[in-house]
Amino acid sequence: MSTERAPALTGSLGVGSIVFMVVAAAAPLTVISGVVPLGILLGDGAAFPATFVICCVVLLLFAVGYSAMSRHVPQAGAFYAYVQEALGRTAGQGAAYLALTTYSVIQLAVYGYLGAVTDGLVRGHGGPALPWWLWAGAAAAAVGVLGYRHIELSGKVLGVLLLGEVGIVLVLDAVVTARGGGPSGLSTAFLQPERIGSGSLGIGIVFAIASYLGFEATAVFRDEAHDPQRTIPRATYLSLLLIGGFYTLSSWAVVSAWGDDQAVKAAGADPSGMLITTITRYLGTAAGDVAQVLLLSSLFAALLSFHNVLARYGFALGNSGALPRICGGRHERHGSPHAASLLQSASAVILVAVCAAAGLDPVTQVFAWMSGTATLGALLLMGLTCLSVIVFFRRTRLDRRPWQTLLAPGLGLLGLCLCLWLVATNFPLLIGGSTALAVTIGALPPTLFAIGAVLALVRSRRTEPATSAQPVPMPVNEAV
């Protein structure tokens, strides 16, 4: 067996840069603009902000074990590396294919939504009416250029875009709070247990948990982080707390701006325009126009962040042999996974072209179907990772703290299983389609996991010597 070391990515990303990238993937302005009105309308009404708190607690439990294990897994493959380290190569490659599918489909969802938003913005200001896929293609080209170059350039671009989209919503939050809310005053519905359970809490949790997608990608940037032993756990916790705090505060401000009962009516009358209308009412017409532009930049920031995550997954899989070795190449000048980045750009363009050729609507079909599928895949991945944390520390005893290695990940696993059940039972609503369509699309994540696992089994049988009597144990941590 060759002892040649695989090329590794390098960089000096700090906590702030990594936080910018993973928070940008969550697309905060897009969530407040698109998800919050739906959560108010179809979930638990004016108490919907409480669901962000509930989901944040579940994900914090997940993050405890995730961060503890990050100190003992030197690979930058995140879910794939964690699952493989604890459950073996077969499950690990299954998780890798599942992760590639999950991030690819959520990126496709964002391309669809970005194309529709750009078209509406251009036509609204007197521009030509162009197909959504042309705008998506232009965004893919820009993302491809940035993704090909050094990661620190992407971090700077994402930082600027993120500050803009978060800034305008925080200004709205401050103004609404300073004015004491709307005609009914500041809302207290999210603090009242009877209001939280009065609507459809399960559907509210489905929308809320989908809004956190992307926070878990911190470990993907391990090789490019400064002092990853400390940077990755800190970035994970900080990202989750910032996202959860922002969603809770801003959704509460939107409800307060309208009043508990009127917020539900406003969400039902115009869910896609509720936030822009709110900003226009409280901050003026110019701020409403700026918010529309920032919504576009929010979607672009999410695309760039997901592109970087996918490229690094491809790089890790290329070096492990699960993907062609060329994917594991590193650019000599930029230090980026340039081959995996180019492959990811090509796959994104192909997926957009397929959707365009099929005549799919960019919002009601591309965005709705793909975001629902990604939510299902992400919950499966996080559940597998929680299980992997428990198995890993029970077997290795590298960390004997019960809270970090058993209790928190165990509670997180239970919470994620509940969320997974809620998503599965409400999947037709989440994707806006029929039960048959939901079953077909929902089968995609577990199917890709199975394909990856089968390919790993086939590959191991081809590469293992026929005289091998016992499997070679995988190293737990070379530094220990």
PDB file of all heavy atoms in Angstrom, residues 65-99:
ATOM      1  N   GLY A  65     -21.805  16.696  21.174  1.00  0.00           N
ATOM      2  CA  GLY A  65     -21.072  15.506  20.763  1.00  0.00           C
ATOM      3  C   GLY A  65     -20.270  15.733  19.489  1.00  0.00           C
ATOM      4  O   GLY A  65     -19.150  15.238  19.341  1.00  0.00           O
ATOM      5  N   TYR A  66     -20.838  16.480  18.559  1.00  0.00           N
ATOM      6  CA  TYR A  66     -20.178  16.799  17.284  1.00  0.00           C
ATOM      7  C   TYR A  66     -18.856  17.514  17.536  1.00  0.00           C
ATOM      8  O   TYR A  66     -17.825  17.180  16.937  1.00  0.00           O
ATOM      9  CB  TYR A  66     -21.135  17.668  16.473  1.00  0.00           C
ATOM     10  CG  TYR A  66     -20.717  18.003  15.068  1.00  0.00           C
ATOM     11  CD1 TYR A  66     -20.677  17.030  14.081  1.00  0.00           C
ATOM     12  CD2 TYR A  66     -20.415  19.313  14.714  1.00  0.00           C
ATOM     13  CE1 TYR A  66     -20.336  17.353  12.777  1.00  0.00           C
ATOM     14  CE2 TYR A  66     -20.074  19.649  13.419  1.00  0.00           C
ATOM     15  CZ  TYR A  66     -20.037  18.661  12.449  1.00  0.00           C
ATOM     16  OH  TYR A  66     -19.699  18.987  11.162  1.00  0.00           O
ATOM     17  N   SER A  67     -18.877  18.487  18.436  1.00  0.00           N
ATOM     18  CA  SER A  67     -17.663  19.244  18.749  1.00  0.00           C
ATOM     19  C   SER A  67     -16.656  18.401  19.522  1.00  0.00           C
ATOM     20  O   SER A  67     -15.443  18.503  19.304  1.00  0.00           O
ATOM     21  CB  SER A  67     -18.024  20.496  19.556  1.00  0.00           C
ATOM     22  OG  SER A  67     -18.871  21.344  18.812  1.00  0.00           O
ATOM     23  N   ALA A  68     -17.148  17.557  20.433  1.00  0.00           N
ATOM     24  CA  ALA A  68     -16.244  16.699  21.194  1.00  0.00           C
ATOM     25  C   ALA A  68     -15.497  15.735  20.276  1.00  0.00           C
ATOM     26  O   ALA A  68     -14.297  15.502  20.438  1.00  0.00           O
ATOM     27  CB  ALA A  68     -17.028  15.921  22.253  1.00  0.00           C
ATOM     28  N   MET A  69     -16.200  15.189  19.292  1.00  0.00           N
ATOM     29  CA  MET A  69     -15.562  14.229  18.400  1.00  0.00           C
ATOM     30  C   MET A  69     -14.653  14.911  17.389  1.00  0.00           C
ATOM     31  O   MET A  69     -13.706  14.300  16.881  1.00  0.00           O
ATOM     32  CB  MET A  69     -16.628  13.406  17.675  1.00  0.00           C
ATOM     33  CG  MET A  69     -16.085  12.204  16.922  1.00  0.00           C
ATOM     34  SD  MET A  69     -17.399  11.097  16.361  1.00  0.00           S
ATOM     35  CE  MET A  69     -16.442   9.977  15.315  1.00  0.00           C
ATOM     36  N   SER A  70     -14.909  16.193  17.107  1.00  0.00           N
ATOM     37  CA  SER A  70     -14.086  16.900  16.116  1.00  0.00           C
ATOM     38  C   SER A  70     -12.623  16.963  16.542  1.00  0.00           C
ATOM     39  O   SER A  70     -11.731  17.080  15.701  1.00  0.00           O
ATOM     40  CB  SER A  70     -14.624  18.323  15.905  1.00  0.00           C
ATOM     41  OG  SER A  70     -14.386  19.136  17.030  1.00  0.00           O
ATOM     42  N   ARG A  71     -12.355  16.875  17.841  1.00  0.00           N
ATOM     43  CA  ARG A  71     -10.979  16.915  18.331  1.00  0.00           C
ATOM     44  C   ARG A  71     -10.221  15.622  18.050  1.00  0.00           C
ATOM     45  O   ARG A  71      -8.992  15.584  18.164  1.00  0.00           O
ATOM     46  CB  ARG A  71     -10.979  17.195  19.838  1.00  0.00           C
ATOM     47  CG  ARG A  71     -11.517  18.565  20.214  1.00  0.00           C
ATOM     48  CD  ARG A  71     -11.483  18.760  21.730  1.00  0.00           C
ATOM     49  NE  ARG A  71     -11.781  20.149  22.101  1.00  0.00           N
ATOM     50  CZ  ARG A  71     -12.994  20.604  22.313  1.00  0.00           C
ATOM     51  NH1 ARG A  71     -14.033  19.776  22.213  1.00  0.00           N
ATOM     52  NH2 ARG A  71     -13.195  21.869  22.642  1.00  0.00           N
ATOM     53  N   HIS A  72     -10.943  14.571  17.703  1.00  0.00           N
ATOM     54  CA  HIS A  72     -10.317  13.261  17.518  1.00  0.00           C
ATOM     55  C   HIS A  72     -10.430  12.734  16.099  1.00  0.00           C
ATOM     56  O   HIS A  72      -9.991  11.618  15.819  1.00  0.00           O
ATOM     57  CB  HIS A  72     -10.953  12.252  18.487  1.00  0.00           C
ATOM     58  CG  HIS A  72     -10.898  12.673  19.920  1.00  0.00           C
ATOM     59  ND1 HIS A  72      -9.744  12.625  20.671  1.00  0.00           N
ATOM     60  CD2 HIS A  72     -11.856  13.182  20.736  1.00  0.00           C
ATOM     61  CE1 HIS A  72      -9.991  13.074  21.888  1.00  0.00           C
ATOM     62  NE2 HIS A  72     -11.264  13.418  21.954  1.00  0.00           N
ATOM     63  N   VAL A  73     -11.034  13.513  15.193  1.00  0.00           N
ATOM     64  CA  VAL A  73     -11.154  13.100  13.793  1.00  0.00           C
ATOM     65  C   VAL A  73     -10.407  14.129  12.950  1.00  0.00           C
ATOM     66  O   VAL A  73     -10.906  15.233  12.728  1.00  0.00           O
ATOM     67  CB  VAL A  73     -12.634  13.020  13.366  1.00  0.00           C
ATOM     68  CG1 VAL A  73     -12.747  12.593  11.910  1.00  0.00           C
ATOM     69  CG2 VAL A  73     -13.385  12.041  14.254  1.00  0.00           C
ATOM     70  N   PRO A  74      -9.198  13.803  12.491  1.00  0.00           N
ATOM     71  CA  PRO A  74      -8.374  14.787  11.794  1.00  0.00           C
ATOM     72  C   PRO A  74      -8.842  15.084  10.376  1.00  0.00           C
ATOM     73  O   PRO A  74      -8.427  16.070   9.789  1.00  0.00           O
ATOM     74  CB  PRO A  74      -6.988  14.131  11.788  1.00  0.00           C
ATOM     75  CG  PRO A  74      -7.256  12.667  11.865  1.00  0.00           C
ATOM     76  CD  PRO A  74      -8.481  12.515  12.700  1.00  0.00           C
ATOM     77  N   GLN A  75      -9.710  14.242   9.788  1.00  0.00           N
ATOM     78  CA  GLN A  75     -10.150  14.471   8.424  1.00  0.00           C
ATOM     79  C   GLN A  75     -11.145  15.614   8.348  1.00  0.00           C
ATOM     80  O   GLN A  75     -11.873  15.881   9.292  1.00  0.00           O
ATOM     81  CB  GLN A  75     -10.801  13.205   7.835  1.00  0.00           C
ATOM     82  CG  GLN A  75      -9.861  12.025   7.727  1.00  0.00           C
ATOM     83  CD  GLN A  75      -9.832  11.199   8.992  1.00  0.00           C
ATOM     84  OE1 GLN A  75     -10.427  11.561   9.996  1.00  0.00           O
ATOM     85  NE2 GLN A  75      -9.137  10.081   8.940  1.00  0.00           N
ATOM     86  N   ALA A  76     -11.188  16.273   7.173  1.00  0.00           N
ATOM     87  CA  ALA A  76     -12.086  17.408   6.974  1.00  0.00           C
ATOM     88  C   ALA A  76     -13.363  16.993   6.259  1.00  0.00           C
ATOM     89  O   ALA A  76     -13.977  17.786   5.566  1.00  0.00           O
ATOM     90  CB  ALA A  76     -11.378  18.502   6.177  1.00  0.00           C
ATOM     91  N   GLY A  77     -13.782  15.758   6.426  1.00  0.00           N
ATOM     92  CA  GLY A  77     -14.962  15.273   5.728  1.00  0.00           C
ATOM     93  C   GLY A  77     -16.253  15.421   6.493  1.00  0.00           C
ATOM     94  O   GLY A  77     -17.314  15.024   6.012  1.00  0.00           O
ATOM     95  N   ALA A  78     -16.217  16.001   7.694  1.00  0.00           N
ATOM     96  CA  ALA A  78     -17.407  16.237   8.518  1.00  0.00           C
ATOM     97  C   ALA A  78     -18.232  14.965   8.692  1.00  0.00           C
ATOM     98  O   ALA A  78     -17.718  13.977   9.216  1.00  0.00           O
ATOM     99  CB  ALA A  78     -18.236  17.372   7.937  1.00  0.00           C
ATOM    100  N   PHE A  79     -19.489  14.962   8.290  1.00  0.00           N
ATOM    101  CA  PHE A  79     -20.363  13.815   8.516  1.00  0.00           C
ATOM    102  C   PHE A  79     -19.720  12.520   8.033  1.00  0.00           C
ATOM    103  O   PHE A  79     -19.731  11.503   8.723  1.00  0.00           O
ATOM    104  CB  PHE A  79     -21.689  14.005   7.773  1.00  0.00           C
ATOM    105  CG  PHE A  79     -22.557  15.075   8.344  1.00  0.00           C
ATOM    106  CD1 PHE A  79     -23.183  15.986   7.520  1.00  0.00           C
ATOM    107  CD2 PHE A  79     -22.760  15.181   9.711  1.00  0.00           C
ATOM    108  CE1 PHE A  79     -24.001  16.970   8.035  1.00  0.00           C
ATOM    109  CE2 PHE A  79     -23.581  16.164  10.235  1.00  0.00           C
ATOM    110  CZ  PHE A  79     -24.192  17.058   9.394  1.00  0.00           C
ATOM    111  N   TYR A  80     -19.190  12.569   6.823  1.00  0.00           N
ATOM    112  CA  TYR A  80     -18.597  11.381   6.214  1.00  0.00           C
ATOM    113  C   TYR A  80     -17.462  10.831   7.083  1.00  0.00           C
ATOM    114  O   TYR A  80     -17.399   9.630   7.366  1.00  0.00           O
ATOM    115  CB  TYR A  80     -18.106  11.762   4.816  1.00  0.00           C
ATOM    116  CG  TYR A  80     -16.890  11.034   4.303  1.00  0.00           C
ATOM    117  CD1 TYR A  80     -16.939   9.681   4.011  1.00  0.00           C
ATOM    118  CD2 TYR A  80     -15.695  11.723   4.080  1.00  0.00           C
ATOM    119  CE1 TYR A  80     -15.824   9.025   3.527  1.00  0.00           C
ATOM    120  CE2 TYR A  80     -14.589  11.080   3.596  1.00  0.00           C
ATOM    121  CZ  TYR A  80     -14.657   9.731   3.313  1.00  0.00           C
ATOM    122  OH  TYR A  80     -13.553   9.088   2.836  1.00  0.00           O
ATOM    123  N   ALA A  81     -16.588  11.718   7.554  1.00  0.00           N
ATOM    124  CA  ALA A  81     -15.452  11.284   8.360  1.00  0.00           C
ATOM    125  C   ALA A  81     -15.898  10.759   9.723  1.00  0.00           C
ATOM    126  O   ALA A  81     -15.374   9.764  10.221  1.00  0.00           O
ATOM    127  CB  ALA A  81     -14.472  12.443   8.539  1.00  0.00           C
ATOM    128  N   TYR A  82     -16.888  11.403  10.326  1.00  0.00           N
ATOM    129  CA  TYR A  82     -17.365  10.993  11.645  1.00  0.00           C
ATOM    130  C   TYR A  82     -18.010   9.615  11.588  1.00  0.00           C
ATOM    131  O   TYR A  82     -17.737   8.743  12.423  1.00  0.00           O
ATOM    132  CB  TYR A  82     -18.382  12.005  12.178  1.00  0.00           C
ATOM    133  CG  TYR A  82     -17.786  13.314  12.635  1.00  0.00           C
ATOM    134  CD1 TYR A  82     -16.978  14.075  11.794  1.00  0.00           C
ATOM    135  CD2 TYR A  82     -18.050  13.811  13.897  1.00  0.00           C
ATOM    136  CE1 TYR A  82     -16.452  15.281  12.207  1.00  0.00           C
ATOM    137  CE2 TYR A  82     -17.523  15.030  14.324  1.00  0.00           C
ATOM    138  CZ  TYR A  82     -16.719  15.749  13.468  1.00  0.00           C
ATOM    139  OH  TYR A  82     -16.193  16.941  13.875  1.00  0.00           O
ATOM    140  N   VAL A  83     -18.889   9.424  10.620  1.00  0.00           N
ATOM    141  CA  VAL A  83     -19.597   8.151  10.497  1.00  0.00           C
ATOM    142  C   VAL A  83     -18.623   7.035  10.161  1.00  0.00           C
ATOM    143  O   VAL A  83     -18.693   5.929  10.716  1.00  0.00           O
ATOM    144  CB  VAL A  83     -20.713   8.255   9.439  1.00  0.00           C
ATOM    145  CG1 VAL A  83     -21.368   6.890   9.206  1.00  0.00           C
ATOM    146  CG2 VAL A  83     -21.768   9.268   9.872  1.00  0.00           C
ATOM    147  N   GLN A  84     -17.669   7.289   9.267  1.00  0.00           N
ATOM    148  CA  GLN A  84     -16.700   6.258   8.893  1.00  0.00           C
ATOM    149  C   GLN A  84     -15.819   5.879  10.082  1.00  0.00           C
ATOM    150  O   GLN A  84     -15.522   4.696  10.295  1.00  0.00           O
ATOM    151  CB  GLN A  84     -15.836   6.742   7.735  1.00  0.00           C
ATOM    152  CG  GLN A  84     -14.751   5.737   7.341  1.00  0.00           C
ATOM    153  CD  GLN A  84     -14.085   6.103   6.031  1.00  0.00           C
ATOM    154  OE1 GLN A  84     -14.630   5.877   4.966  1.00  0.00           O
ATOM    155  NE2 GLN A  84     -12.900   6.700   6.118  1.00  0.00           N
ATOM    156  N   GLU A  85     -15.418   6.868  10.858  1.00  0.00           N
ATOM    157  CA  GLU A  85     -14.550   6.597  11.998  1.00  0.00           C
ATOM    158  C   GLU A  85     -15.243   5.704  13.030  1.00  0.00           C
ATOM    159  O   GLU A  85     -14.606   4.853  13.655  1.00  0.00           O
ATOM    160  CB  GLU A  85     -14.134   7.918  12.655  1.00  0.00           C
ATOM    161  CG  GLU A  85     -12.996   7.804  13.652  1.00  0.00           C
ATOM    162  CD  GLU A  85     -11.639   7.686  12.982  1.00  0.00           C
ATOM    163  OE1 GLU A  85     -11.544   7.958  11.769  1.00  0.00           O
ATOM    164  OE2 GLU A  85     -10.670   7.320  13.677  1.00  0.00           O
ATOM    165  N   ALA A  86     -16.539   5.882  13.210  1.00  0.00           N
ATOM    166  CA  ALA A  86     -17.264   5.142  14.251  1.00  0.00           C
ATOM    167  C   ALA A  86     -17.948   3.886  13.734  1.00  0.00           C
ATOM    168  O   ALA A  86     -17.928   2.849  14.401  1.00  0.00           O
ATOM    169  CB  ALA A  86     -18.309   6.058  14.899  1.00  0.00           C
ATOM    170  N   LEU A  87     -18.543   3.960  12.561  1.00  0.00           N
ATOM    171  CA  LEU A  87     -19.391   2.866  12.072  1.00  0.00           C
ATOM    172  C   LEU A  87     -18.781   2.088  10.918  1.00  0.00           C
ATOM    173  O   LEU A  87     -19.388   1.123  10.447  1.00  0.00           O
ATOM    174  CB  LEU A  87     -20.764   3.418  11.647  1.00  0.00           C
ATOM    175  CG  LEU A  87     -21.528   4.213  12.715  1.00  0.00           C
ATOM    176  CD1 LEU A  87     -22.869   4.669  12.166  1.00  0.00           C
ATOM    177  CD2 LEU A  87     -21.712   3.388  13.983  1.00  0.00           C
ATOM    178  N   GLY A  88     -17.603   2.517  10.443  1.00  0.00           N
ATOM    179  CA  GLY A  88     -16.934   1.751   9.403  1.00  0.00           C
ATOM    180  C   GLY A  88     -17.024   2.387   8.032  1.00  0.00           C
ATOM    181  O   GLY A  88     -17.793   3.322   7.795  1.00  0.00           O
ATOM    182  N   ARG A  89     -16.215   1.863   7.118  1.00  0.00           N
ATOM    183  CA  ARG A  89     -16.090   2.446   5.785  1.00  0.00           C
ATOM    184  C   ARG A  89     -17.386   2.363   4.985  1.00  0.00           C
ATOM    185  O   ARG A  89     -17.733   3.288   4.258  1.00  0.00           O
ATOM    186  CB  ARG A  89     -14.975   1.738   5.018  1.00  0.00           C
ATOM    187  CG  ARG A  89     -14.711   2.301   3.632  1.00  0.00           C
ATOM    188  CD  ARG A  89     -13.552   1.588   2.978  1.00  0.00           C
ATOM    189  NE  ARG A  89     -12.333   1.727   3.772  1.00  0.00           N
ATOM    190  CZ  ARG A  89     -11.226   1.036   3.542  1.00  0.00           C
ATOM    191  NH1 ARG A  89     -11.193   0.130   2.579  1.00  0.00           N
ATOM    192  NH2 ARG A  89     -10.160   1.225   4.302  1.00  0.00           N
ATOM    193  N   THR A  90     -18.125   1.290   5.128  1.00  0.00           N
ATOM    194  CA  THR A  90     -19.358   1.130   4.350  1.00  0.00           C
ATOM    195  C   THR A  90     -20.371   2.200   4.719  1.00  0.00           C
ATOM    196  O   THR A  90     -20.913   2.893   3.853  1.00  0.00           O
ATOM    197  CB  THR A  90     -19.964  -0.268   4.594  1.00  0.00           C
ATOM    198  OG1 THR A  90     -19.011  -1.259   4.204  1.00  0.00           O
ATOM    199  CG2 THR A  90     -21.245  -0.445   3.793  1.00  0.00           C
ATOM    200  N   ALA A  91     -20.628   2.351   6.016  1.00  0.00           N
ATOM    201  CA  ALA A  91     -21.563   3.394   6.461  1.00  0.00           C
ATOM    202  C   ALA A  91     -21.019   4.780   6.156  1.00  0.00           C
ATOM    203  O   ALA A  91     -21.783   5.704   5.823  1.00  0.00           O
ATOM    204  CB  ALA A  91     -21.833   3.248   7.955  1.00  0.00           C
ATOM    205  N   GLY A  92     -19.690   4.939   6.262  1.00  0.00           N
ATOM    206  CA  GLY A  92     -19.089   6.239   5.995  1.00  0.00           C
ATOM    207  C   GLY A  92     -19.282   6.676   4.556  1.00  0.00           C
ATOM    208  O   GLY A  92     -19.645   7.830   4.295  1.00  0.00           O
ATOM    209  N   GLN A  93     -19.067   5.763   3.605  1.00  0.00           N
ATOM    210  CA  GLN A  93     -19.256   6.153   2.209  1.00  0.00           C
ATOM    211  C   GLN A  93     -20.738   6.362   1.902  1.00  0.00           C
ATOM    212  O   GLN A  93     -21.088   7.216   1.090  1.00  0.00           O
ATOM    213  CB  GLN A  93     -18.676   5.103   1.264  1.00  0.00           C
ATOM    214  CG  GLN A  93     -18.731   5.542  -0.195  1.00  0.00           C
ATOM    215  CD  GLN A  93     -17.786   4.751  -1.077  1.00  0.00           C
ATOM    216  OE1 GLN A  93     -16.631   4.497  -0.709  1.00  0.00           O
ATOM    217  NE2 GLN A  93     -18.273   4.361  -2.255  1.00  0.00           N
ATOM    218  N   GLY A  94     -21.603   5.599   2.563  1.00  0.00           N
ATOM    219  CA  GLY A  94     -23.031   5.852   2.406  1.00  0.00           C
ATOM    220  C   GLY A  94     -23.378   7.255   2.871  1.00  0.00           C
ATOM    221  O   GLY A  94     -24.129   7.985   2.217  1.00  0.00           O
ATOM    222  N   ALA A  95     -22.806   7.664   4.011  1.00  0.00           N
ATOM    223  CA  ALA A  95     -23.037   9.016   4.525  1.00  0.00           C
ATOM    224  C   ALA A  95     -22.452  10.068   3.588  1.00  0.00           C
ATOM    225  O   ALA A  95     -23.018  11.159   3.436  1.00  0.00           O
ATOM    226  CB  ALA A  95     -22.424   9.157   5.909  1.00  0.00           C
ATOM    227  N   ALA A  96     -21.319   9.753   2.949  1.00  0.00           N
ATOM    228  CA  ALA A  96     -20.705  10.702   2.020  1.00  0.00           C
ATOM    229  C   ALA A  96     -21.613  10.956   0.822  1.00  0.00           C
ATOM    230  O   ALA A  96     -21.822  12.103   0.416  1.00  0.00           O
ATOM    231  CB  ALA A  96     -19.357  10.155   1.551  1.00  0.00           C
ATOM    232  N   TYR A  97     -22.155   9.890   0.250  1.00  0.00           N
ATOM    233  CA  TYR A  97     -23.062  10.053  -0.890  1.00  0.00           C
ATOM    234  C   TYR A  97     -24.348  10.757  -0.463  1.00  0.00           C
ATOM    235  O   TYR A  97     -24.903  11.561  -1.213  1.00  0.00           O
ATOM    236  CB  TYR A  97     -23.367   8.696  -1.513  1.00  0.00           C
ATOM    237  CG  TYR A  97     -22.320   8.225  -2.492  1.00  0.00           C
ATOM    238  CD1 TYR A  97     -20.997   8.025  -2.077  1.00  0.00           C
ATOM    239  CD2 TYR A  97     -22.629   7.977  -3.811  1.00  0.00           C
ATOM    240  CE1 TYR A  97     -20.027   7.599  -2.965  1.00  0.00           C
ATOM    241  CE2 TYR A  97     -21.661   7.542  -4.714  1.00  0.00           C
ATOM    242  CZ  TYR A  97     -20.363   7.358  -4.283  1.00  0.00           C
ATOM    243  OH  TYR A  97     -19.408   6.944  -5.176  1.00  0.00           O
ATOM    244  N   LEU A  98     -24.806  10.477   0.740  1.00  0.00           N
ATOM    245  CA  LEU A  98     -25.991  11.156   1.258  1.00  0.00           C
ATOM    246  C   LEU A  98     -25.714  12.646   1.445  1.00  0.00           C
ATOM    247  O   LEU A  98     -26.569  13.492   1.129  1.00  0.00           O
ATOM    248  CB  LEU A  98     -26.405  10.522   2.590  1.00  0.00           C
ATOM    249  CG  LEU A  98     -27.585  11.160   3.336  1.00  0.00           C
ATOM    250  CD1 LEU A  98     -28.824  11.213   2.458  1.00  0.00           C
ATOM    251  CD2 LEU A  98     -27.865  10.396   4.631  1.00  0.00           C
ATOM    252  N   ALA A  99     -24.526  12.977   1.954  1.00  0.00           N
ATOM    253  CA  ALA A  99     -24.170  14.384   2.140  1.00  0.00           C
ATOM    254  C   ALA A  99     -24.067  15.114   0.804  1.00  0.00           C
ATOM    255  O   ALA A  99     -24.555  16.247   0.663  1.00  0.00           O
ATOM    256  CB  ALA A  99     -22.845  14.485   2.901  1.00  0.00           C
TER     257      ALA A  99
END
